[in-house]
Amino acid sequence: MSADFVLRPSVATDAAWIAELRAVVMRPDLERLQRFDPVRVRERFLNGFQPDHTYIIHSDGVDAGVIAIRPEPDSRWIEHFYVAPAHQGKGLGSAVLRHVMSATVDERPFRLDVLQGSPARRLYERHGFVLESEDPIDVFMVAPVNP
């Protein structure tokens, strides 16, 4: 169980495979919520892709996932955090999240949203995220910089 990784800045040509990864990773939760649309799940990512804030998770010799950190004046949003199924359950997500949350000294809290019922919520709770608000689809969470 290796959680060794490097984060490399994304480039515009990463968009297509990230959109595909998003569709694969989010499909079970979106289907459970009766919100999966194979075209829309990809288009939503492609229409808002910001390479400047997105990093590719490179592990075991391959691009194994992605994470975006979008700065806002009062917080930093963790978005598009997807680990390929073949690399899940090995501590990679925890290692990446721990690294991102401790990489800089910044007073702004981290925020994110996760789909209702998603197992990813447990990962975020283990790293200090707490419920901020929720609706029937999304759970909005917040955590201090160094939980």
Side-chain angles (χ1 to χ4, degrees), residues 33-80:
L33 294 168
Q34 299 180 336
R35 297 187 62 88
F36 182 74
D37 177 320
V39 173
R40 187 167 188 259
V41 71
R42 291 166 177 86
E43 282 180 350
R44 283 194 67 190
F45 174 79
L46 293 170
N47 290 338
F49 179 47
Q50 296 180 333
D52 297 352
H53 303 302
T54 306
Y55 301 90
I56 305 305
I57 303 164
H58 191 82
S59 181
D60 292 332
V62 298
D63 292 339
V66 63
I67 189 168
I69 312 297
R70 180 174 47 90
E72 291 290 329
D74 65 343
S75 61
R76 292 176 287 170
W77 281 86
I78 294 176
E79 301 177 314
H80 308 301

